[in-house]
């Protein structure tokens, strides 16, 4: 009896639950005829009926609010057969007013109206939202574009003036607004008033040649306005236009003739002439003219000298360029150019200028790039004594990134015994220990870098001093919002795009703006599953420049195409970490990557290289745009380089620069140990390539294969000795 009552009780409970479920199910609002979860599921797999309907006007956009905040906005980016569906959804989101989705929808709708040349609807949308968004520059600018392209000239000119008044800083840096000002001045002028002509001429004379000159010249030509200008003025317009288009052969003689007359002289025109130079004879003629102008025109003296110095610098005449920069008023910028010219013409002499330079400069970081170039040039010339002297001068006076190459080379040349007698009194071991610990070598302590890229010199210094590096994961923010976690507006949009199956839009937003690490990682992870993992990785690498980014190491060293990579590594007996490192450097895992010289695919193979490898592998049919073929051919080629050189470092250098070059460098610097040989390589690209591959190999080897940093360093540079 008790048993039967218990069964009846359970049955009644189940029935009660069933009734409750049925009640909830029946009372759940439908979204376009479907329950919310089914709607989302069918939207993501492309089977939502409305996607294929020619007319969705009868579907109420307001129902989409049942799906969550911003649903109409996100769904508008899906591809509907109905051409009006997207705009209808966007406008409903604007009407709903929930931010940040309403403003994002307004911007997208405005962009679509501009593409459709539907300027009336854009103006109507602006009028409806003016009170909400009138203090936002991007919104006001879109409205101006609608007026401008819609030829509502009086209204456009009025809005342009208001924009400059309300947003003076943004408008001042917006070069396109200057173009609009000139065109609108012409459009709003009475037929008998040609005052706008002087504004056009001033625009061409006062601004360096660029795309806006091309646009203005084409406007004048298409509107039949060029004939209004006088003969020399027409020559000016044409010459600057041709300079902007890169046609110096045509523009140089025209500009040279014009600049012999006062009306057309300006600092921008002098640089236009310099930019138009295409031959050495024209260079010398231009320098002569510029220096004559400098002597005769006090107002343009500095501009003329600088243009001449720039020409010599571009031609590689660094001593002459430095002499000209020395004639300019002394400031941080001219000091940089003078010192840079000395570095390139006589690196050892530049070292002797360092004490005076360090006393004069306001910001040592301003010179980081040229000091790094100095270290490379001294190593390339094997001027080891000058490297050590530069280290002495710079120690404690510049940042770690600048100082470390000098410090590492100074220590290593002493250890390797390649320095001249009498300059080996520095403590090499102490220098290397400080590098390994992330300190200023020979100075006070320094906080370790917060970016996740392992410093090449830190890795090698750790190898020599026993400070083994373990690239542990960097802790990241939560990948999903948690209680108390405040999302920025951009975060909300990113998570929305991901929820609605639009990772490419999420990735686009994650590349800039007020984005948290968690949102950026979520966007990157979703996009990495697509056909272009390089876009995800490129975004994370940009984000990682921010000291507070804390991007996990594994996100920066991913393993797309894992099955194919491991298959190629096994077939050609390659360490998978080296193969991953090379692919990451060559293409960021983009199988469609093509270089400016025609190398293509994951491993960036030249067509002739691919044809040669195909013949050796007896593969008559192939396509280097296919992942499998590209990996197989590239792996064979890398294996071939390994078999023909003495170390993986030389092999990857050969992969980058060609084995003949590397062999010629070895003949020149053959006695140097591997790490110093890399420093002496005359190609900056190859030096950085080898260093990058060692760092990446350590990450891939440690994170995914349990290989120690020391083991990979020893494999990479087999001639190094602890």
């Amino acid at each position: 009896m008790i048993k039967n009552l218990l069964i009846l009780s359970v049955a009644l409970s189940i029935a009660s639950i069933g009734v409750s479920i049925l009640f909830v199910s029946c009372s759940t609002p439908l979204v376009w005829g479907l329950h919310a979860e089914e709607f989302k599921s069918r939207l993501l797999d492309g089977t939502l009926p409305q996607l294929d309907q020619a007319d969705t006007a009868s579907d109420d956009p307001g129902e989409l609010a049942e799906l969550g905040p911003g649903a109409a906005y996100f769904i508008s980016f899906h591809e509907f057969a109905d051409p009006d569906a997207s705009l209808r959804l966007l406008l409903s989101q604007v009407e709903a007013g929930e931010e940040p989705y309403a403003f994002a929808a307004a911007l997208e709708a405005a962009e679509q109206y501009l593409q459709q040349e539907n300027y009336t609807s854009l103006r109507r949308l602006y009028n409806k939202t003016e009170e909400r968004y009138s203090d936002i520059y991007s919104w006001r600018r879109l409205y101006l574009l609608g007026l401008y392209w819609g030829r509502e000239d009086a209204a456009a000119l009025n809005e342009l003036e208001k924009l400059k008044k309300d947003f003076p800083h943004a408008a001042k840096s917006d070069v396109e607004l200057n173009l609009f000002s000139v065109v609108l001045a012409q459009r709003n002028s009475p037929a008998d008033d040609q005052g706008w002509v002087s504004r056009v001429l001033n625009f061409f004379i006062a601004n360096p040649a660029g795309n806006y000159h091309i646009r203005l010249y084409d406007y004048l030509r298409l509107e039949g306005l060029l004939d209004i200008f006088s003969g020399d003025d027409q020559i000016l317009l044409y010459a600057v236009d041709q300079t902007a288009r890169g046609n110096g052969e045509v523009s140089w003689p025209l500009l040279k003739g014009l600049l012999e007359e006062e009306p057309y002289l300006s600092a921008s025109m002098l640089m236009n002439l310099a930019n138009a130079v295409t031959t050495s004879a024209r260079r010398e003629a231009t320098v002569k003219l510029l220096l004559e102008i400098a002597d005769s025109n006090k107002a343009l003296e500095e501009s003329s000298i600088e243009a001449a110095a720039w020409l010599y610098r571009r031609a590689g005449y660094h001593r002459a360029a430095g002499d000209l920069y020395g004639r300019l008023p002394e400031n941080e910028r001219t000091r940089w150019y003078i010192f840079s010219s000395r570095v390139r013409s006589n690196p050892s002499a530049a070292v002797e200028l360092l004490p005076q330079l360090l006393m004069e400069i306001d910001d040592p970081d301003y010179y980081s790039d040229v000091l790094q170039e100095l270290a490379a040039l001294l190593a390339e010339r094997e001027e080891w004594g000058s490297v050590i002297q530069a280290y002495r001068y710079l120690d404690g006076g510049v940042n770690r990134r600048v100082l470390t190459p000098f410090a590492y080379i100074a220590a290593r040349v002493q250890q390797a015994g390649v320095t001249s007698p009498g300059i080996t009194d520095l403590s090499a071991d102490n220098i290397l220990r400080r590098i390994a610990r992330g300190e200023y070598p020979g100075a006070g302590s320094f906080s370790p870098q917060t970016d996740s890229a392992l410093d090449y010199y830190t890795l090698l210094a750790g190898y020599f001093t026993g400070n083994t590096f373990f690239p542990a994961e960097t802790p990241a923010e939560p990948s999903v919002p948690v209680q108390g976690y405040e999302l920025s507006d951009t975060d909300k949009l990113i998570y929305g795009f991901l929820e609605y199956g639009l990772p490419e839009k999420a990735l686009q937003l994650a590349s800039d703006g007020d984005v948290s690490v968690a949102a950026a990682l979520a966007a990157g992870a979703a996009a990495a599953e697509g056909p272009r993992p390089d876009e995800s990785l490129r975004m994370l690498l940009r984000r990682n420049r921010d000291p507070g980014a804390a991007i996990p190491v594994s996100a920066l060293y991913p393993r797309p195409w894992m099955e194919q990579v491991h298959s190629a590594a096994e077939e050609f007996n390659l360490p998978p970490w080296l193969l991953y490192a090379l692919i990451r450097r060559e293409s960021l895992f983009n199988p469609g990557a093509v270089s400016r010289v025609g190398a293509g695919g994951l491993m960036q193979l030249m067509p002739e290289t691919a044809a040669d490898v195909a013949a050796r592998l007896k593969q008559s049919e192939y396509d280097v745009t296919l992942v499998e073929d590209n990996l197989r051919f590239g792996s064979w080629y890398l294996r071939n380089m390994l078999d023909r050189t003495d170390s993986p470092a030389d092999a990857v250098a050969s992969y980058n620069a060609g084995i003949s070059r590397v062999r010629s460098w070895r003949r020149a610097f053959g006695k140097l140990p591997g790490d110093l040989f890399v420093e002496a390589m005359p190609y900056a690209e190859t030096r950085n390539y080898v260093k990058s591959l060692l760092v990446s190999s350590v990450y891939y080897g440690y994170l995914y294969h349990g290989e120690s940093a020391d083991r990979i360093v020893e494999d990479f540079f087999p001639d190094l000795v602890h």
Side-chain angles (χ1 to χ4, degrees):
M1 181 71 172
I2 295 175
K3 181 179 180 182
N4 290 338
L5 288 173
L6 184 60
I7 293 173
L8 179 60
S9 174
V10 172
L12 289 172
S13 298
I14 293 173
S16 174
I17 294 170
V19 170
S20 299
I21 293 173
L22 181 61
F23 177 78
V24 171
S25 178
C26 290
S27 65
T28 301
L30 298 179
V31 180
W32 292 1
L34 300 170
H35 294 298
E37 290 306 315
E38 183 182 0
F39 182 100
K40 280 190 177 180
S41 175
R42 297 191 67 175
L43 174 71
L44 296 180
D45 66 19
T47 62
L48 185 70
Q50 284 78 6
L51 294 174
D52 297 320
Q53 291 176 7
D55 183 2
T56 60
S58 61
D59 294 298
D60 180 10
E63 293 181 8
L64 299 177
E66 298 293 338
L67 300 173
Y73 169 68
F74 298 119
I75 293 171
S76 76
F77 288 93
H78 283 271
E79 191 170 339
F80 285 81
D82 179 357
D84 299 322
S86 175
L87 268 171
R88 208 159 34 238
L89 293 174
L90 291 169
L91 295 176
S92 74
Q93 189 71 69
V94 174
E95 195 71 31
E98 186 179 13
E99 301 297 351
Y101 316 106
F103 179 60
L107 288 176
E108 179 62 26
E111 294 282 4
Q112 290 194 24
Y113 283 140
L114 283 174
Q115 291 174 12
Q116 298 171 4
E117 300 182 10
N118 187 350
Y119 307 119
T120 301
S121 293
L122 173 55
R123 184 166 190 169
R124 190 181 303 122
L125 174 62
Y126 176 82
N127 290 336
K128 290 177 68 174
T129 59
E130 184 175 6
E131 290 186 7
R132 276 196 263 172
Y133 307 132
S134 61
D135 60 342
I136 302 176
Y137 181 75
S138 58
W139 183 240
R140 293 273 297 277
R141 195 182 190 283
L142 278 172
Y143 175 52
L144 171 62
L145 285 175
L147 297 174
Y148 177 84
W149 293 112
R151 292 283 185 137
E152 298 183 56
D153 298 329
L157 187 59
N158 181 56
E159 181 60 28
L160 177 60
E161 295 307 316
K162 287 164 60 179
L163 202 64
K164 290 179 179 179
K165 179 182 177 182
D166 295 344
F167 305 92
H169 297 298
K172 185 176 181 180
S173 60
D174 193 335
V175 182
E176 191 175 38
L177 293 192
N178 292 332
L179 172 64
F180 291 166
S181 294
V182 174
V183 174
L184 289 172
Q186 183 274 319
R187 289 180 183 174
N188 283 280
S189 295
D192 58 349
D193 182 0
Q194 294 186 1
W196 58 270
V197 169
S198 61
R199 297 190 64 170
V200 171
L201 294 174
N202 183 65
F203 184 86
F204 273 77
I205 294 171
N207 300 290
N211 183 57
Y212 294 117
H213 293 88
I214 296 173
R215 287 174 57 181
L216 183 51
Y217 186 85
D218 284 344
Y219 169 79
L220 296 170
R221 178 175 56 82
L222 293 171
E223 295 291 323
L225 300 171
L226 287 175
D227 289 342
I228 293 175
F229 294 86
S230 67
D232 280 350
D233 289 348
Q234 280 194 23
I235 292 173
L236 165 73
L237 301 181
Y238 180 66
V240 175
D241 170 73
Q242 289 298 301
T243 303
R245 296 177 195 269
N247 194 357
E249 282 296 319
V250 171
S251 65
W252 185 84
L254 300 177
L255 290 170
K256 185 176 181 296
L258 289 172
L259 292 180
E260 292 170 353
E261 301 179 32
E262 185 71 26
Y264 303 108
L265 284 174
S266 73
S268 293
M269 288 292 287
L270 296 177
M271 282 306 300
N272 288 342
L273 179 66
N275 271 306
V277 168
T278 55
T279 65
S280 58
R282 287 182 172 181
R283 180 182 63 244
E284 295 308 317
T286 302
V287 169
K288 180 182 177 183
L289 175 59
L290 290 169
L291 295 181
E292 288 174 355
I293 293 172
D295 291 337
S296 61
N297 190 320
K298 194 66 178 175
L300 289 174
E301 179 182 8
E302 292 178 21
S303 300
S304 302
I305 292 173
E306 182 150 358
W310 179 85
L311 256 180
Y312 274 147
R313 183 177 172 84
R314 188 176 71 169
Y317 295 164
H318 297 295
R319 183 181 294 277
D323 291 342
L324 287 175
Y325 283 120
R327 291 174 55 180
L328 297 172
E330 185 177 357
N331 54 43
E332 198 83 295
R333 182 170 170 274
T334 55
R335 275 197 297 266
W336 186 97
Y337 274 111
I338 293 168
F339 183 67
S340 174
S341 299
R342 183 60 63 90
V343 166
R344 293 185 176 186
S345 61
N346 190 339
S348 292
V351 171
E352 299 306 319
L353 297 178
L354 287 174
Q356 179 182 350
L357 182 72
L358 291 169
M359 286 190 295
E360 294 175 345
I361 61 180
D362 300 321
D363 179 13
D365 286 350
Y366 188 76
Y367 294 80
S368 292
D369 52 354
V370 69
L371 289 171
Q372 289 173 325
E373 184 180 14
L374 175 61
L377 289 172
L378 291 173
E380 180 185 330
R381 300 180 184 204
E382 295 188 275
E383 295 178 0
W384 309 121
S386 292
V387 174
I388 293 173
Q389 191 62 46
Y391 165 68
R392 294 179 193 274
Y393 291 144
L394 296 172
D395 185 13
V398 292
N399 68 47
R400 176 177 176 251
R401 269 291 179 197
V402 174
L403 183 58
T404 297
F406 290 98
Y408 180 84
I409 296 169
R412 283 289 296 132
V413 294
Q414 292 178 85
Q415 283 189 338
V418 297
T419 56
S420 302
I423 58 172
T424 59
D425 57 328
L426 294 176
S427 173
D429 289 343
N430 183 53
I431 291 173
L432 293 172
R433 275 193 296 271
R434 288 185 177 276
I435 294 173
R437 291 199 297 258
E439 301 171 352
Y440 279 127
S445 62
F446 180 81
S447 300
Q449 288 180 254
T450 52
D451 65 17
S452 65
L454 171 64
D455 183 89
Y456 170 82
Y457 297 106
T458 304
L459 169 65
L460 289 182
Y463 170 79
F464 283 112
T465 60
N467 291 289
T468 305
F469 175 82
F470 295 100
E473 284 280 8
T474 304
E477 295 179 41
S479 58
V480 293
V482 296
Q483 189 173 5
Y485 182 90
E486 185 175 350
L487 296 177
S488 70
D489 286 349
T490 311
D491 282 356
K492 292 176 183 177
L493 296 176
I494 287 173
Y495 284 120
F497 280 128
L498 295 177
E499 181 182 354
Y500 287 92
L502 299 159
E504 69 287 345
K505 297 295 296 182
L507 186 67
Q508 182 181 338
L509 271 182
S511 296
D512 44 45
D514 179 21
V515 187
S516 69
V517 173
L521 285 171
E529 299 299 320
R532 291 286 307 276
D534 61 305
E535 293 179 343
S536 169
L537 183 52
R538 193 172 284 111
M539 181 273 293
L540 292 175
L541 290 170
R542 279 197 301 269
R543 292 272 308 171
N544 199 51
R545 294 172 188 163
D546 177 4
I551 305 293
V553 173
S554 57
L556 299 173
Y557 293 88
R559 293 186 296 170
W561 320 109
M562 186 163 61
E563 182 179 342
Q564 297 94 323
V565 172
H566 280 269
S567 175
E570 183 177 352
E571 181 179 359
F572 296 104
N573 190 28
L574 296 171
W577 52 87
L578 179 61
L579 191 51
Y580 271 117
L582 188 143
I583 297 167
R584 182 180 185 272
R585 175 73 184 196
E586 289 287 353
S587 66
L588 285 181
F589 303 103
N590 175 16
V594 179
S595 75
R596 65 180 184 278
V597 295
L602 290 177
M603 299 186 71
Q604 291 292 278
L605 298 173
M606 293 294 291
E608 54 271 25
T609 302
D612 180 58
V613 175
R616 293 172 184 271
L617 291 174
K618 299 184 177 0
Q619 185 172 332
S620 57
E621 295 185 5
Y622 64 90
D623 183 351
V624 292
T625 65
L626 297 177
V627 169
E628 290 79 2
D629 285 353
N630 196 283
L631 278 174
R632 214 167 160 260
F633 288 15
S635 297
W636 182 94
Y637 189 72
L638 177 58
R639 178 73 262 169
N640 184 256
M641 293 298 101
L642 285 164
D643 291 340
R644 296 168 65 189
T645 55
D646 296 329
S647 71
D650 284 11
V652 297
S654 300
Y655 194 99
N656 175 261
I659 196 168
S660 297
R661 287 196 184 95
V662 174
R663 284 176 171 170
S664 70
W665 299 339
R666 268 295 179 192
R667 287 192 293 272
F669 309 115
K671 295 180 181 180
L672 294 177
D675 58 333
L676 293 180
F677 174 55
V678 172
E679 300 294 342
M681 288 178 178
Y683 282 15
E685 179 188 339
T686 305
R687 286 195 304 271
N688 294 331
Y689 186 87
V690 176
K691 294 174 183 179
S692 171
L693 260 63
L694 174 57
V695 171
S696 295
S697 292
V698 167
Y699 272 117
Y700 279 112
Y702 178 79
L703 290 173
Y704 305 112
H705 301 278
E707 293 288 343
S708 72
D710 285 359
R711 152 84 170 79
I712 292 177
V713 169
E714 288 171 350
D715 182 59
F716 215 74
F717 293 123
D719 60 348
L720 295 191
V721 179
H722 275 292

